[in-house]
Amino acid sequence: MSSLAKASGALKSVDYEVFGRVQGNGGLWGAGRRGAYTEQEAKKLGVVGWVKNTSQGTVTGQVQGPEERVNEMKSWLSKVGSPSSRIDKTNFSNEKEISKLEFSDFNTRY
């Protein structure tokens, strides 16, 4: 991950919460079989962090990485998501520049 960070300059961190319709076992993108979608997208983009379903039926998490990659992940979280899901809105908070990544991978929390 350090080579990605060096190549792209500024590192960003952002928290997110996705609101929408959850279908199937495991929810929108968090725990369960469908949780693989967010992890796969994050790994494809080269960002790190985590995703988790909440008891309120939303999906929450954090993404860190090069600014451009974090922005791509934000777009995916806002517009694409997992199959059979509907995104009503996505809130982003605590967006900031960071000096180093706090995670070494992207994973699902339970």
Side-chain angles (χ1 to χ4, degrees):
M1 203 48 65
S2 60
S3 61
L4 268 177
K6 288 177 189 167
S8 300
L11 292 175
K12 289 282 185 180
S13 176
V14 66
D15 298 336
Y16 62 89
E17 186 170 15
V18 183
F19 299 79
R21 182 171 50 105
V22 176
Q23 266 195 11
N25 199 6
L28 199 57
W29 304 298
R33 201 178 90 198
R34 293 186 183 274
Y37 290 107
T38 301
E39 269 188 52
Q40 286 173 357
E41 188 65 19
K43 289 175 181 180
K44 184 175 93 174
L45 291 175
V47 295
V48 298
W50 56 274
V51 61
K52 179 180 178 179
N53 284 335
T54 70
S55 57
Q56 295 80 32
T58 65
V59 174
T60 188
Q62 188 175 64
V63 176
Q64 295 182 348
E67 183 174 12
E68 183 178 309
R69 304 285 174 91
V70 169
N71 288 340
E72 289 177 45
M73 189 67 183
K74 285 172 63 178
S75 178
W76 187 87
L77 289 165
S78 300
K79 300 174 186 164
V80 182
S82 68
S84 304
S85 65
R86 185 192 72 229
I87 302 166
D88 291 336
K89 82 176 172 180
T90 306
N91 289 343
F92 296 101
S93 60
N94 301 319
E95 188 162 352
K96 60 189 173 192
E97 194 167 310
I98 54 174
S99 59
K100 64 180 180 135
L101 299 173
E102 298 167 19
F103 307 98
S104 59
D105 203 354
F106 194 97
N107 58 52
T108 302
R109 292 185 176 178
Y110 298 93

